[in-house]
Structure formats: structure tokens, C-alpha cells
Amino acid sequence: MASCRAWNLRVLVAVVCGLLTGIILGLGIWRIVIRIQRGKSTSSSSTPTEFCRNGGTWGNGRCICTEEWKGLRCTIANFCEKSTYMGFTFARIPVGRYGPSLQTCGKDTPNAGNPMAVRLCNLSPYGEIELQNVTIGNCNENLETLEEQVKDVAAPLNNISSEVQILTSDANKLTAENISSATRVVGQIFNTSRNASPEAKKIAIVTVSQLLDASGDAFQQAAATANNDALTTLIEQMETYSLSLGNQSVVEPNIAIQSANFSSEDAVGPLSVRFSVQKGASSSLLSGSTSIHTNVDGLNPDGQTELQVLLNMTKSNSKACGFVVYQNDKLFQSKTFTAKSNFSQKIISSKTDENEQDQSASVDMVFSPRYDQKEFQLYSYACVYWNLSTRDWDTYGCQKDKGTDGFLRCRCNHTTNFAVLMTFKDYQYPKSLDILSNAGCALSITGLALTIIFQIVTRKVRKTSVTWVLVNLCISMLIFNLLFVFGIENSNKNLKTSDGDINDIDFDNNDVPQTDTINIPNPMCTAIAALLHYFLLVTFTWNALSAAQLYYLLIRTMKPLPRHFILFISLIGWGVPAIVVAITVGVIYSQNGKNPQWELDYRQEKICWLAIPEPNGVIKSPLLWSFIVPITIILISNVAIFITISIKVLWKNNQNLTSTKKVSSMKKIVSTLSVAVVFGITWILAYLMLVNDDSIRIIFSYIFCLFNTTQGLQIFILYTVRTKIFQSEASKVLTLLSSVGRRKSLSSVTRPRLRLRMYNFLRSLPTLHEHFRLLETSPSTEEITLSESDKAKESM
């Protein structure tokens, strides 16, 4: 009867191991098939990143190059090499840009840290790339002193314009105060009452272009300064300046200005002027990319058109019109619209020389904006203009028009600064888990399942009190790993099927949007985030309970466990995390329930996990109070108990006890690791991933991933494989399998004599430096060899 029970136990273990192995392999194959299908669905429409060289990216059917390269594959140089002239050294300078010198003003000067000179890299009349002469600045002047000087009516505006251009040549160093001072100085140069020279104004345009390279945060701070109207004044002066260029144009990397004058013959009757901006190989504006045509019938965009404006003037008293194109919207700091994506948002300005009271022009526009169609899908757009009074976007007098050519069309009954504010569905999701994470989680899932089964099946044989705590820890960790592997990715990443259909846009709604991206609601992702939150808190809670139980068993050995200890720790282990999660979700919903996207205050859009707080909202973050704080408290207490147990029990040698002398260092190390794994000590590595050094952070990230994704496997090895019961049962199963295999192999032997002779031949081969000799075997030798082989197989 006992042998029958042992047989059933061995068969059960074998069946369970086989089933779990099959399940894990099946899940892995299923996941691989899904990834292959995703790759097939996207590979047909995507272009290999290797096609575009030197940092170029594929977009809108072509390579979008950086400023330093051009051509079909971004392989043609578009820069001036490193140079030295007049004692100043300049790094590589893109064509059309001023490069700052590597030499900077001394620390004891007002202009400390800023470049001492600049140099222009430009194209010659024959199209060759060449460097211009060096412009040397004055280290005793800074933007603040120039702002005071420009107020003087007799101030030398040419020198001041050159100095400001040099001081703003390094956009990475520009602060909000620098931007405010520079815009005030440039505003005085463009002030018509100051009668600045055309050369000073052209240099000031270079300064404006350089300012638009500064960070968006610096512009936000500059715009938020009390009574700061410098940006608004500059915008107005750019419009006025656009009327003064005759039929000329000024094009810089971030701003282009072009004018058109009309003769008396052109001014008879209605007049239409078309202004176009063509797409370039890079994101910067290039010379020749803008054009003006007068007396046209209407808009005629083609595949290379990025934006086009048709200015319709019904009265004949207009003599000139002007257009300004801004590469980005940094001068237009809105209080209602927030841009979160990084695609270029061009602003177009149109103006006539009519009086404001006589303005009768209307504007038709088409836009073909650049954005990453792999990550964003157009959802809607609004036709807006910049209201100089409110200093914000407005829709008065503007409306959307339908079109069948794929362009975004707008119409306004007035002239000013126009833009198209687009909203996108964001499909910018992270890549799937890497091989290390998948392999580690798969091993952990298998190890945890086997540990749970082993602990439950052998609980009566082992007669240990640790079973309940360990089983609950393994169950919570197993569920968390399953949810992590199969639910951490937002399923919305698979919903993008097209690049967006303009015909699906609501053309009757022209309200100013709040942001340029919208997130698709996904209640399932929110539920998975809550479950991951809950089961990870449960896992850490059972880690803490394991530490408390071992502390009672090993340190306070003379005192029994508290009454109803199992029931008490079960309520804590499964109940307290549920309360934390419920309170967190409830508070967030009560505060933001009216917002359709309230769930994004709890979880991330990219993955189904707790939301990462903004830099100014860490204190109110659910990630801090409902996860980081409780986890930190648990880890601190577990580390304290771990150190206490290690010193007083695991590594303590009692000279009066012979048993402690015989314990080897290896056994002590294994025991220490066993305690550390159950206490979750390896999660401390997560705090080491917060270092600022990228190389060090990557190293700790891999170490953290290796130790924590395989935590279930570690528990299986330390708490299941090392037990004598498991080793005994596994040995019996292996013996059973080997005996079955031996019977099958013996029955399949057809020519034993030939095989035995070959075996004896191989055994009798001499060494490398001896002669080879074939030893014949006798029947008695064959019988002896066969009997020895049988005995060896039976002993396995």
C-alpha cells in the first residue's frame, strides 16, 4: 500500500511538471507568434532605419536629415568643417548657421562664459560651401547692458544688433532673462521710429532665428514674467517688417520673411496673392523654399507643399503685402493649448498695408504638417489665429474647409498670425519586454507553480509552520508575474490601422483644443494596473510577514506565536493592500471623475502601471504614497530583521555546540540567500537605478532585472530543490524513467555482438604515440561485458 502511494506521488509530480512545462512553452510560442504577426503588419509599410544615414529619420515618404546633412539618404555634407581663424577655433557649423567660437569671455568680464566671436557658414553664388569672416564681440557687454544702451536715441544700432546676435549664438545657454532682454533689444531695432539700417534689421532676424532654438521651458518662463509684453511686441514688429522688403525675402533656419509690392496696374480690381512653403530635406527653413505669386486663381498645393496661403484682397488701395513663417510656436506661448509632442508646428503670418479700419482681405490656407505617422494618428484640428489682445489662440472669423487632397484647409476673414492646432491619437508605446525579462519571468512562473504544489502536497510530511506564509507569498508573486508578462503592455498599441482619415474629422467643431495629443480610454489597462499594484503590494506584505514569522521562530524562540497568528497574518497579507489600492483609486476618481481621462491620473498611457508624477507634482503622486512609501518602509524593516537574523543565528558560532562548528561557510551563505530572497532584499537595487550616470544606471537595471525576474526560480531552488523530500522523489522519478528507457533500448538491440565488438575495439585503442592494434574478444568477454553493463544501468 505504501509503495502504491509512493508511485501515485511520483506520477503526480511527473504529470504536474509536464503540464506546467507544456503551459509555459505554449504561452511562450503564443507570445512569439503575436510578435511575428505584429512585425509582418508593420514591416510592409516601414523603411529600415539603415536607409537614412547620419541621424536621418524616415518620414512622409522620404529621409528627414539633420541640418548637417542632405541628399536622398542624408549622405551629402551640409556643413563647414572645424576651422581656426584669427586665433579663434570653431567647431563644425551647418550651412546657414553662425557658429560660436570655442574661446569664451573670461570669468572677470560681464559677458563671462559666452563666445568671443561667431562665424557664418554659407553657400557661395556658385553653390559651394564656404566660411565667412569672423565677427568679434565685446566681452564687456551683455544682454542687460545692451538693453540699457538701446534706449538711447543716438545708440549705434548696427553694433548693438551684432552684439546681440553674438550673445544669442549658443541657444543652449539662453535663459528666460536672456530671451526677454534680447527680444526687447530686437524690438527697438525694428521700431520704425528708430530708423535702423536694413543691415541691422537683417542681423536682428538672425537673432530671432537663434532665439527660436532656445528651450521651450525658457520661453514659458519668459512669457510668464509679470508685465512682459516683449514677445507680443516682437510678433507685431515682424508683421510690420514683412511689408518693407519690397519683393525680396529673408530666410533663416527658423524664420522666413517675404514681401510683395503691387503696381497700379495690378491693383485694379480684386487681387489674389499666393505664398507657398515647400518641404525640405531637413526640419529647417532653407533659402528658396518660399515663393510668392500674384494674380493667381487659387490654391494649387502639390506633394512637396508644406503650407500655402492665398491672400484675397477685394479693395484696390493695397500696395504691398508681407508673409512671415515661424519654424515653431515658441514665440506664441498659449495659456489654453499645451503641446506635448515634438513635431514642428509652423506659424504663418499674412499682412497688408491697409489701415486696420479698411482691412477687407480674407485668407485661405492649406497645411501638410510633419509628424511621425507611426506614433501619431490625426484625430482633429482647429483653425486659429493669435489674438494680440488676449495673447492666446482664438478662432473668431476662422473655419475649417473640407478637401479631398489630404491637406488641412482653413479659411479666415481677416489677416494676422495663423496656425493649425492639431490633436493626435498617441500610439507612441514602448517596445515589448526583452528576452531577459521574458526568460526570467517564465522561469519564475514555473518555479513558483512547482513550489506551491510541492508545499501543499508535502505539508504533512514536512510538518513545518512556514508553509502557509511561503505558499501565500508564492501565489501572490505568481499572479503578479503572469499579469506582468501578459498584461503590462497597453493593448491600444495594436489599434492603429491607418494614418488617419481627414474625412472622419468633425469640420463643424473649430474649438481650441487643450492639448495636441489625446489618449484612447482603456478600462482594461486601468484594471490591470490596479491588479498589478495590488498583487505587488501583497507580495511585499507577505515578504514582511515572512520576516516577522522568522523573527518569532528564530529570535524569540522561547515565546510561542501569537494566538490566531495564521488568521491574523492572512487578513493583513491580503486585506491591507486591498485597502490601499481601493483608497488610491477612490481618491483619484473623486478628484478627477468628471474628466473622461481621469484614469491617466492613476496609471500611465504607455504601460499599464502607476502614473509617473510630474516634477512639480511628486508630493500628490499616487505612485509615491500608495507604493514607494509603503515599499520603502517594508524594505527597511526587512533589512533590519535580515541583519539581526544573520548575525544572531545564521553566522553565529557557539563554541559549546558541536553542531555550529560543523556548519560550513557554504551552507551559511545558502541559508543567508534563502532568507534574503524571501525578504525581497534584492528590490533595494531599484533605488540604485536612480543615479544620474546613464552607464551605471544601465548596469544596475540589468542586475535588477536579473535578480527580480528570477525571484520565483530562486525560491524554487532554495525552498524546494534543496529539500530532502524533493530530492528523494525526484531521484525515484528519474530512476523510473531511466528503467523504462533501458527496457526499450534493450528490446531494440538487434546486433549486440557487433556493438560489443565495436565497444571493446574503442576501449582497446592505444594512446596517441603507440601502434594501433585490434583485440579480438571471446564469447566469455562478451558475456562479462554485458553483465557489467546491466549492473551499471540497474544502479542508476
Side-chain angles (χ1 to χ4, degrees):
M1 189 67 177
S3 62
C4 183
R5 290 181 179 176
W7 170 267
N8 292 335
L9 182 60
R10 289 194 294 270
V11 171
L12 178 61
V13 172
V15 170
V16 169
C17 292
L19 288 175
L20 288 174
T21 304
I23 292 172
I24 297 300
L25 289 176
L27 292 175
I29 294 172
W30 171 70
R31 189 174 181 84
I32 292 173
V33 170
I34 290 179
R35 289 190 179 180
I36 293 175
Q37 291 177 349
R38 292 177 185 172
K40 289 182 178 179
S41 63
T42 57
S43 60
S44 59
S45 60
S46 61
T47 299
T49 56
E50 293 81 3
F51 180 79
C52 302
R53 304 295 181 86
N54 299 312
T57 57
W58 183 262
N60 297 328
R62 62 183 301 173
C63 286
I64 307 299
C65 307
T66 60
E67 282 189 313
E68 297 180 348
W69 299 92
K70 62 182 180 178
L72 179 64
R73 301 182 62 188
C74 307
T75 54
I76 302 175
N78 190 45
F79 57 85
C80 296
E81 292 285 0
K82 181 179 179 180
S83 61
T84 300
Y85 186 73
M86 296 177 60
F88 297 103
T89 303
F90 300 88
R92 179 187 290 182
I93 307 172
V95 172
R97 294 274 188 176
Y98 284 84
S101 64
L102 300 182
Q103 289 78 17
T104 58
C105 296
K107 297 181 180 179
D108 55 344
T109 62
N111 196 17
N114 285 314
M116 299 178 64
V118 293
R119 195 178 191 185
L120 173 64
C121 175
N122 210 349
L123 293 176
S124 69
Y126 304 100
E128 297 179 352
I129 299 176
E130 62 180 10
L131 286 164
Q132 305 295 323
N133 291 330
V134 174
T135 304
I136 303 175
N138 186 356
C139 289
N140 294 319
E141 301 286 355
N142 56 25
L143 291 172
E144 288 73 16
T145 59
L146 292 175
E147 185 179 355
E148 294 297 325
Q149 292 180 21
V150 79
K151 295 178 182 179
D152 186 0
V153 177
L157 296 182
N158 282 9
N159 293 338
I160 292 176
S161 184
S162 296
E163 290 292 338
V164 174
Q165 188 265 320
I166 295 173
L167 292 173
T168 57
S169 59
D170 192 352
N172 295 325
K173 296 181 179 180
L174 293 178
T175 63
E177 292 75 15
N178 297 148
I179 293 174
S180 298
S181 298
T183 52
R184 291 191 186 98
V185 174
V186 172
Q188 289 294 326
I189 295 173
F190 282 113
N191 192 333
T192 55
S193 64
R194 302 298 300 271
N195 295 320
S197 65
E199 184 63 27
K201 292 182 179 180
K202 287 185 178 180
I203 296 176
I205 294 297
V206 176
T207 301
V208 174
S209 178
Q210 293 176 164
L211 288 175
L212 292 176
D213 282 325
S215 67
D217 293 337
F219 269 96
Q220 289 179 1
Q221 295 175 12
T225 304
N227 300 322
N228 185 4
D229 58 352
L231 298 181
T232 302
T233 302
L234 181 60
I235 293 171
E236 291 180 297
Q237 290 169 341
M238 290 292 100
E239 292 183 5
T240 304
Y241 177 68
S242 68
L243 299 172
S244 64
L245 293 178
N247 291 315
Q248 302 299 317
S249 65
V250 177
V251 180
E252 294 296 330
N254 290 320
I255 187 172
I257 304 175
Q258 192 162 0
S259 300
N261 287 352
F262 317 128
S263 63
S264 58
E265 292 80 5
D266 294 333
V268 176
L271 181 65
S272 297
V273 181
R274 185 175 63 226
F275 175 74
S276 302
V277 178
Q278 300 297 107
K279 297 177 180 178
S282 67
S283 58
S284 300
L285 294 169
L286 304 175
S287 178
S289 60
T290 63
S291 61
I292 283 184
H293 297 85
T294 59
N295 294 325
V296 295
D297 297 329
L299 297 168
N300 66 339
D302 55 25
Q304 296 302 315
T305 302
E306 185 167 4
L307 65 89
Q308 197 171 90
V309 177
L310 181 66
L311 184 60
N312 301 301
M313 293 171 285
T314 58
K315 292 185 178 182
S316 59
N317 56 354
S318 297
K319 302 300 180 182
C321 68
F323 300 91
V324 183
V325 178
Y326 301 93
Q327 178 64 20
N328 53 59
D329 59 352
K330 293 178 181 178
L331 286 178
F332 305 84
Q333 292 297 316
S334 173
K335 297 180 288 291
T336 58
F337 176 77
T338 303
K340 297 181 179 179
S341 56
N342 57 0
F343 63 86
S344 177
Q345 176 68 57
K346 283 186 171 62
I347 311 297
I348 177 69
S349 167
S350 65
K351 187 178 178 61
T352 65
D353 60 351
E354 295 177 337
N355 295 327
E356 293 184 5
Q357 294 79 8
D358 298 332
Q359 286 283 345
S360 59
S362 63
V363 178
D364 293 331
M365 296 166 286
V366 293
F367 292 82
S368 178
R370 293 178 176 178
Y371 59 91
D372 193 340
Q373 297 181 355
K374 296 179 182 179
E375 298 178 352
F376 299 98
Q377 179 177 330
L378 183 62
Y379 174 74
S380 182
Y381 72 96
C383 299
V384 298
Y385 76 97
W386 186 254
N387 191 324
L388 295 173
S389 300
T390 62
R391 300 177 186 176
D392 211 336
W393 296 115
D394 198 348
T395 60
Y396 175 77
C398 296
Q399 63 182 23
K400 292 186 285 190
D401 276 352
K402 282 189 177 182
T404 58
D405 50 6
F407 286 89
L408 308 181
R409 293 179 173 268
C410 296
R411 176 175 297 175
C412 296
N413 59 12
H414 52 81
T415 60
T416 183
N417 298 277
F418 301 101
V420 167
L421 302 182
M422 293 166 289
T423 54
F424 296 91
K425 293 180 180 178
D426 188 358
Y427 290 95
Q428 188 177 4
Y429 295 99
K431 295 182 179 180
S432 302
L433 299 176
D434 57 14
I435 298 175
L436 181 61
S437 298
N438 280 321
C441 290
L443 293 173
S444 287
I445 291 170
T446 306
L448 290 169
L450 293 175
T451 301
I452 293 170
I453 295 172
F454 174 79
Q455 293 288 328
I456 294 175
V457 172
T458 63
R459 66 186 185 280
K460 295 182 179 179
V461 179
R462 292 180 293 105
K463 296 180 180 179
T464 176
S465 59
V466 188
T467 300
W468 179 255
V469 177
L470 185 60
V471 167
N472 282 273
L473 174 62
C474 292
I475 290 175
S476 62
M477 197 178 299
L478 174 63
I479 298 175
F480 173 79
N481 276 277
L482 289 171
L483 289 171
F484 179 79
V485 172
F486 299 104
I488 190 69
E489 297 177 1
N490 194 333
S491 58
N492 284 346
K493 67 185 297 183
N494 305 319
L495 297 179
K496 188 175 186 295
T497 57
S498 64
D499 297 330
D501 190 356
I502 295 180
N503 294 323
D504 296 334
I505 294 175
D506 183 8
F507 287 91
D508 296 329
N509 181 15
N510 195 38
D511 296 333
V512 178
Q514 295 181 351
T515 181
D516 60 346
T517 57
I518 63 168
N519 296 303
I520 305 171
N522 190 351
M524 180 60 69
C525 186
T526 305
I528 292 175
L531 290 175
L532 285 170
H533 184 196
Y534 170 69
F535 281 105
L536 191 55
L537 285 178
V538 170
T539 300
F540 275 99
T541 305
W542 281 107
N543 284 332
L545 294 173
S546 299
Q549 187 184 36
L550 284 181
Y551 179 80
Y552 272 102
L553 293 175
L554 299 178
I555 304 300
R556 301 183 63 179
T557 55
M558 302 304 295
K559 296 182 179 180
L561 292 174
R563 189 177 181 184
H564 305 300
F565 181 74
I566 298 299
L567 177 61
F568 180 70
I569 62 175
S570 299
L571 292 176
I572 293 178
W574 296 100
V576 172
I579 295 174
V580 173
V581 174
I583 292 176
T584 303
V585 176
V587 170
I588 293 176
Y589 182 77
S590 63
Q591 294 177 349
N592 308 285
K594 296 181 180 180
N595 185 358
Q597 298 183 357
W598 69 269
E599 57 190 27
L600 295 182
D601 292 322
Y602 174 70
R603 66 164 176 88
Q604 302 178 41
E605 170 61 21
K606 310 301 181 185
I607 58 175
C608 302
W609 179 240
L610 299 180
I612 298 177
E614 298 292 338
N616 56 351
V618 177
I619 302 300
K620 299 180 180 179
S621 169
L623 180 66
L624 176 66
W625 296 107
S626 67
F627 183 73
I628 295 179
V629 170
I631 296 307
T632 302
I633 295 173
I634 290 175
L635 285 177
I636 292 174
S637 62
N638 284 7
V639 168
I641 296 176
F642 172 72
I643 294 174
T644 303
I645 292 177
S646 299
I647 295 175
K648 292 187 176 182
V649 178
L650 300 179
W651 289 87
K652 182 178 181 181
N653 289 327
N654 192 340
Q655 300 299 328
N656 298 325
L657 297 178
T658 308
S659 58
T660 59
K661 298 179 182 179
K662 297 180 179 180
V663 177
S664 64
S665 298
M666 181 58 65
K667 288 186 178 181
K668 292 180 180 179
I669 293 174
V670 172
S671 300
T672 305
L673 291 176
S674 302
V675 176
V677 168
V678 174
F679 285 11
I681 303 299
T682 54
W683 282 85
I684 297 177
L685 295 171
Y687 297 95
L688 300 178
M689 295 164 57
L690 301 177
V691 295
N692 293 325
D693 194 317
D694 291 338
S695 58
I696 297 177
R697 183 168 59 248
I698 290 175
I699 294 174
F700 282 120
S701 297
Y702 276 102
I703 296 174
F704 173 81
C705 183
L706 178 64
F707 276 97
N708 289 284
T709 57
T710 60
Q711 189 175 3
L713 178 64
Q714 298 169 35
I715 291 176
F716 172 69
I717 294 173
L718 295 173
Y719 287 87
T720 301
V721 175
R722 291 181 60 245
T723 60
K724 293 183 179 180
I725 299 176
F726 181 85
Q727 294 175 0
S728 176
E729 296 299 328
S731 177
K732 293 178 181 178
V733 171
L734 292 175
T735 302
L736 177 63
L737 294 176
S738 63
S739 63
V740 174
R742 182 178 59 83
R743 294 192 188 98
K744 291 183 178 180
S745 62
L746 288 177
S747 62
S748 62
V749 174
T750 56
R751 301 181 65 183
R753 183 177 298 276
L754 179 60
R755 295 186 180 183
L756 288 173
R757 287 187 176 182
M758 181 60 68
Y759 172 71
N760 290 330
F761 166 70
L762 294 175
R763 288 188 61 186
S764 61
L765 286 176
T767 59
L768 182 63
H769 300 287
E770 294 178 354
H771 296 287
F772 291 94
R773 185 170 48 135
L774 182 64
L775 298 177
E776 295 292 337
T777 58
S778 60
S780 60
T781 305
E782 295 175 1
E783 293 174 0
I784 294 172
T785 305
L786 181 60
S787 62
E788 290 177 353
S789 176
D790 292 341
K791 291 179 180 179
K793 290 181 179 179
E794 290 177 359
S795 62
M796 290 177 61

